Amino acid sequence: MNTSELLLDAFGRIEEVVREAVDGLDDKTLATRPDGAGNSIAWLVWHLTRIQDDHLANAGSYEQVYTSDGWHERLGLPFDAGDTGYGHSADDVAAVQLSAEQLLGYYDTVHARSLEYLNGLTDNELDRIVDRNWNPPVTLGVRLISVLSDDLQHAGQAAYVRGLLS
């Protein structure tokens, strides 16, 4: 297995968990917040998708599908196009009222674009600096692992919330 194949498999596992967490749920269930204050499935899936879209687009020097494919307008959320959900307040979390079709439509578009970027990625590319705002600067390899970790955690949280609600 090479680097590209490893990353494609890992991102494919996120897709499986996201789909299992969202498929078949109505809008009300997707927006339900555990104890009225926790993160909803809708917010968790929207956020993990925004992080993947934002971070991989930046690393790959391409435009986020959130803006290039019109998902920002289609989802109609009250956030700036650059908002990824990081640091959201309880009111912001509550504002994410999306259907399974919207969530999976955006997710599927980001996932497809991510796989396109990751396909053929080589070991040599992993040491490339993608973010100099940190000390030490962040390499592509570190950024990809960070996105994988964040997305798997949020997908798992969404699956957990689904279990709580069923």
Side-chain angles (χ1 to χ4, degrees):
M1 182 176 271
N2 63 36
T3 297
S4 178
E5 292 168 335
L6 180 71
L7 291 166
L8 293 170
D9 182 77
F11 278 90
R13 291 169 190 246
I14 296 167
E15 179 191 22
E16 291 172 15
V17 178
V18 165
R19 210 160 275 298
E20 290 172 1
V22 172
D23 272 341
L25 295 182
D26 60 32
D27 299 2
K28 181 180 178 189
T29 303
L30 289 166
T32 300
R33 299 172 65 200
D35 289 334
N39 293 330
S40 67
I41 294 169
W43 185 87
L44 288 162
V45 171
W46 172 81
H47 169 63
L48 75 84
T49 307
R50 287 294 300 125
I51 291 296
Q52 185 172 327
D53 193 11
D54 175 78
H55 287 26
L56 269 66
N58 178 265
S61 299
Y62 59 85
E63 188 178 350
Q64 297 176 36
V65 302
Y66 200 58
T67 52
S68 69
D69 289 11
W71 284 101
H72 179 247
E73 291 80 17
R74 278 192 257 178
L75 298 181
L77 296 173
F79 312 127
D80 293 334
D83 195 332
T84 62
Y86 181 77
H88 267 189
S89 68
D91 288 341
D92 293 332
V93 172
V96 179
Q97 303 277 325
L98 299 170
S99 69
E101 182 180 8
Q102 289 173 305
L103 287 167
L104 293 176
Y106 176 46
Y107 179 82
D108 288 344
T109 306
V110 169
H111 183 67
R113 183 64 181 100
S114 298
L115 296 183
E116 183 180 310
Y117 171 63
L118 297 169
N119 191 32
L121 199 66
T122 65
D123 291 351
N124 294 338
E125 296 172 82
L126 297 178
D127 290 331
R128 179 173 57 87
I129 302 297
V130 296
D131 189 346
R132 295 192 182 280
N133 293 318
W134 299 91
N135 188 16
V138 177
T139 64
L140 176 59
V142 168
R143 177 58 44 89
L144 291 172
I145 294 302
S146 174
V147 172
L148 282 166
S149 174
D150 188 66
D151 280 6
L152 280 171
Q153 288 180 62
H154 289 317
Q157 291 166 3
Y160 180 75
V161 172
R162 181 179 181 132
L164 285 176
L165 300 176
S166 57

